[in-house]
Amino acid sequence: MNNQNTSQGQRVIVANTEGGVGMAAAAQVLMAGGRGLDAIEAGIRPVELDPTVRSVGVGGWPNLLGEVELDALIMDGRSLKSGAVGALQGFLHPISVARQVMEQLPHVFLVGEGAARFAAEIGAEAGENRTDESRQQWAEWLARYVPADLIAAWPNVPLAPWARLTADPERAGGTTTFLVRDANADIAAGTSTCGWAMKYPGRLGDSPVIGAGGYADNRYGAAACTGHGELSIRAGTARSVVLYMKMGMTVQEACHEAADDLRRLVREFPAALTIHAIDASGAAYVVAIGKEPGTGWYWYWAEGMPSAEKRDAVEMQW
Ligand code: ASP
């Protein structure tokens, strides 16, 4: 695997580790002259349908109630328009619902029942995101951690004590993030996730929060985060990276500055956060903070490459 890329002025896709299954579709859109926003959707939709990606869409980890609540955002760096959905249940493609929030509504963010209502109104694909495997793992998790008398009363018990267990990095996270620069030099960002495994119902991470989990501005670049989203919400990480580039930093410097902001946050559990970023020319930089050494990598494709390849992230400890 190569290290960071500094290719200039071309069609580029940067996706996180979970994005592999969507890279070819996203690249195809760009090579056909399509828009970055369409490439984002084309790239994320296959990830949402892949049951082996346990942190996104079908097969995603359930919350404490055994429900799969999905979050997504999309942002257009040309218009600075964005759309997002949070805690959406019963639909297969939160990224496409987020896109339509952006295209059709005077709002930028819908959650819960309102998001599901809107998804139904626009004819979004309804479907079951739980799989036999995820149902079984939820039941096994309960049996492992929760006393039998509480399981018998579940979910009519206080859930808060059990939400803390979701901070276990072994099972906490995952998301897919795509950053794209198209043939018009338009930049876009997209994310999709089920959030933390066994999260408290209604919990939103950074992934649907514009400025935390993703941000794009044609003039400077784009950023998207994976990992413990509570941290990037608190630090406004994706927006910070783009703002630091506006202030004159390179994409690398901007990521390091944002990592420095994250380090100032008081953390109550072991946490990791990966920042993916591109600048306006498409130069990419990815930094993984607090991950197991050797586990930080991402997908990279630029025009001229026959297919996407894995690249090493720069790794940092807290
Ligand atoms: N950032 C996501 C969240 O906090 C999870 C992850 O990417 O690991 O919901």
Side-chain angles (χ1 to χ4, degrees), residues 30-264:
L30 292 189
M31 288 318 291
R35 295 189 64 194
L37 290 169
D38 295 326
I40 298 257
E41 255 193 282
I44 289 182
R45 285 172 63 94
V47 188
E48 291 174 332
L49 288 185
D50 184 344
T52 66
V53 181
R54 299 303 312 280
S55 52
V56 180
V58 174
W61 283 100
N63 65 16
L64 282 169
L65 298 179
E67 301 160 338
V68 177
E69 294 177 309
L70 300 176
D71 306 332
L73 74 74
I74 193 161
M75 181 157 184
D76 174 13
R78 187 198 320 179
S79 62
L80 303 180
K81 287 174 75 175
S82 56
V85 290
L88 174 67
Q89 289 189 47
F91 290 87
L92 298 176
H93 293 297
I95 189 64
S96 297
V97 183
R99 171 94 185 258
Q100 292 312 311
V101 169
M102 179 176 87
E103 304 282 1
Q104 298 191 26
L105 289 179
H107 310 307
V108 297
F109 201 172
L110 293 181
V111 298
E113 285 175 18
R117 180 192 173 103
F118 175 71
E121 277 182 25
I122 62 169
E125 298 94 322
E128 176 58 78
N129 287 298
R130 285 170 294 197
T131 58
D132 290 346
E133 194 184 351
S134 70
R135 281 194 176 90
Q136 189 187 331
Q137 283 176 333
W138 177 79
E140 283 170 6
W141 184 91
L142 231 57
R144 180 163 169 209
Y145 290 106
V146 181
D149 57 325
L150 287 184
I151 295 179
W154 205 268
N156 300 317
V157 300
L159 296 178
W162 310 105
R164 287 199 73 76
L165 289 175
T166 70
D168 178 350
E170 286 292 305
R171 79 176 76 75
T175 294
T176 193
T177 61
F178 274 69
L179 303 174
V180 168
R181 182 183 193 273
D182 69 21
N184 292 323
D186 284 330
I187 287 177
T191 71
S192 184
T193 189
C194 65
W196 283 15
M198 312 302 168
K199 63 192 177 184
Y200 199 97
R203 176 265 185 187
L204 297 179
D206 58 337
S207 306
V209 179
I210 314 290
Y215 198 80
D217 183 330
N218 272 11
R219 296 170 297 172
Y220 312 111
C225 301
T226 58
H228 286 77
E230 277 72 4
L231 299 181
S232 36
I233 292 175
R234 287 163 63 197
T237 300
R239 172 71 178 122
S240 295
V241 170
V242 175
L243 186 59
Y244 289 138
M245 289 194 278
K246 174 177 181 176
M247 291 166 68
M249 293 185 194
T250 64
V251 62
Q252 172 174 343
E253 290 165 347
C255 288
H256 286 213
E257 194 67 27
D260 196 47
D261 295 339
L262 288 162
R263 275 199 206 94
R264 307 296 162 103

